[in-house]
Amino acid sequence: RLRQHSGAAAVAQTDVESLVLQRAALEAQRRTRALEEELAELLDEEATDMASLKWALKEERRRLAENESRLLREARCRRSKKLESLTASMDAAHSKLKADELAAVEAAKVAAAEQERERALKEKEAREARKAEEARQEAEEQAKQQREHEERLEASKKEAQRAADEKKAQAAAAAKAREATRWIGESGEQWERTCKEAHAKAAASCANLTGAPLSVRKQLDKPLRKFVNQISSTKQQVMEVYQRLTALLTQARGAGEEQYYYCLLKLSQMLVGQGEDLQRQHQLAYPIAEIIVALSSDHPDMLQVFMHLLHAKAPLTVPTLNKGLLAEHVSSTGSAQKGFLMLYGAVVQAHMVQSNPHGVGCGWSYVARLLNSIPVNQASCTALDAFLQVAGFSMYSAFRTQFLKLLLSIRNQVVPQLREKGDKDDAAVISRLELYISEQRYARAPEGSEMVDQDSSSQVRA
């Protein structure tokens, strides 16, 4: 029993100890939980403090960065101000230096100008003194020359008067002699003489070149002949040939008077020579005449030179007629000169140039001389017919009523006088004149006078 009692006591003791241990364990757990909760609170507080510290550190870093940036800006600003101040000082020093240099240069210029002015003043005084002396000497020389000129002028007047008297006497004698050999009016004779003098002047100016070897003259003749051969009955070709020929004459003029007048003479001879074929190709007279008139507008000497050569080939273009011609020769004279008469008529009616220097007014004068100075015969009527066939339309357009009166006079006076001669060879020219007037052919532009614009291979060429 004692053992049992001891065992039970032990068990009870053990239970008590177990209970105590359990309570102690529970207390320990409770304390452990309390410690864990306290530790958790401490950790939370530490975390909060750590976050606060991090924020404070971040704010401190931001503030330090701002302070650093501000200090850097301030430092840069101070540096910039110092640089600006230094630059301004350097600019001011440079400007002052430049101003000093300019002032020095200006002072040097003023000094040089003053010296130049003094030198110019001295030179001016010297020049004025020389001019005064030269003026005095020139006045004395002019007075001397004036006296000599007056003496020469007086002598020249006397010589001119003597020469004029001699020329008048010679002209009167020549007129009487010509009256005995040919028919020509006073105005026609004057015009013929004017053209002859112009030709003589041109020929004298180029006499040396005219007598030069052919190889020398050929260089001038070849381009002239080339362009004359290119003449055709189109406005385009007329303008092209005219422009090339006037350019050649202008170039020759620049090379000297001798070469210019040689080319003028040679070209006039070539153009007059075209009249040989105009009886067969009368429409070619118009482009040739347009070129002659255009060239005469640019080179006035050419018209009279051309006319003299035309008069030499066809005296009826003056008009003049030899009194000693036999009847058969009178008939052939008009026919032989017909092409040249057509060329002359074409010159009178030329209208591509705005102002024709030998236009319808000269044509009217020609017809008046022909009717008043040359007796009515086959030659004069052939000349009249050939001229009117080409130039009549232009004269009618210009004079109208007066021209119709002229035609009436031809029909009522000239044609009957020619018919009265009873020569059967006159019938053809009488018929042509009557048809020209009765059919009013003068009211229509003659064939070929209105040229086409463009060139073509079918156009007639010179």
Side-chain angles (χ1 to χ4, degrees), residues 80-118:
S80 177
K81 287 181 179 179
K82 287 180 181 180
L83 288 174
E84 289 177 356
S85 177
L86 181 59
T87 303
S89 300
M90 291 178 67
D91 289 344
H94 179 70
S95 298
K96 186 176 183 303
L97 180 60
K98 190 173 181 180
D100 293 342
E101 290 176 353
L102 290 174
V105 171
E106 190 65 26
K109 286 183 179 178
V110 170
E114 184 64 23
Q115 292 177 358
E116 181 66 21
R117 188 183 66 80
E118 292 177 358

Side-chain angles (χ1 to χ4, degrees), residues 187-188 191 307 310-311 314-320 337 340-342 344-345 348 358-374 379-388 391 395 406:
S187 62
W191 171 238
M307 284 298 176
L310 188 65
H311 295 164
L316 282 170
T317 57
V318 176
T320 180
Q337 299 180 25
F340 300 102
L341 290 160
M342 287 182 167
Y344 178 64
V348 167
H358 198 81
V360 291
C362 296
W364 184 273
S365 299
Y366 169 77
V367 174
R369 291 197 297 267
L370 184 61
L371 295 177
N372 296 329
S373 304
I374 310 299
S380 64
C381 289
T382 298
L384 181 63
D385 171 60
F387 179 81
L388 290 178
M395 294 182 66
L406 174 66

Side-chain angles (χ1 to χ4, degrees), residues 212-314:
L214 179 61
S215 58
V216 176
R217 292 181 282 117
K218 190 176 181 180
Q219 297 177 1
L220 299 174
D221 297 351
K222 187 176 180 180
L224 294 173
R225 184 174 291 106
K226 173 185 174 182
F227 294 138
V228 169
N229 289 338
Q230 290 177 357
I231 298 174
S232 66
S233 53
T234 67
K235 292 180 181 178
Q236 180 188 36
Q237 192 68 8
V238 166
M239 288 303 299
E240 289 180 1
V241 173
Y242 151 67
Q243 289 169 356
R244 290 168 182 169
L245 288 174
T246 195
L248 283 177
L249 291 177
T250 302
Q251 183 180 357
R253 178 184 289 166
E257 187 178 81
E258 183 180 39
Q259 186 170 323
Y260 172 66
Y261 279 111
Y262 176 82
C263 291
L264 207 65
L265 280 171
K266 184 58 66 173
L267 178 58
S268 298
Q269 290 171 1
M270 293 177 184
L271 292 171
V272 169
Q274 299 296 316
E276 299 282 357
D277 300 324
L278 293 183
Q279 258 187 289
R280 292 181 292 104
Q281 302 182 53
H282 67 276
Q283 67 270 31
L284 193 59
Y286 299 102
I288 296 172
E290 293 291 354
I291 290 173
I292 293 167
V293 172
L295 290 173
S296 298
S297 298
D298 294 344
H299 309 277
D301 294 331
M302 181 172 177
L303 179 63
Q304 293 177 354
V305 171
F306 169 82
M307 284 298 176
H308 171 74
L309 295 172
L310 188 65
H311 295 164
K313 281 284 188 179

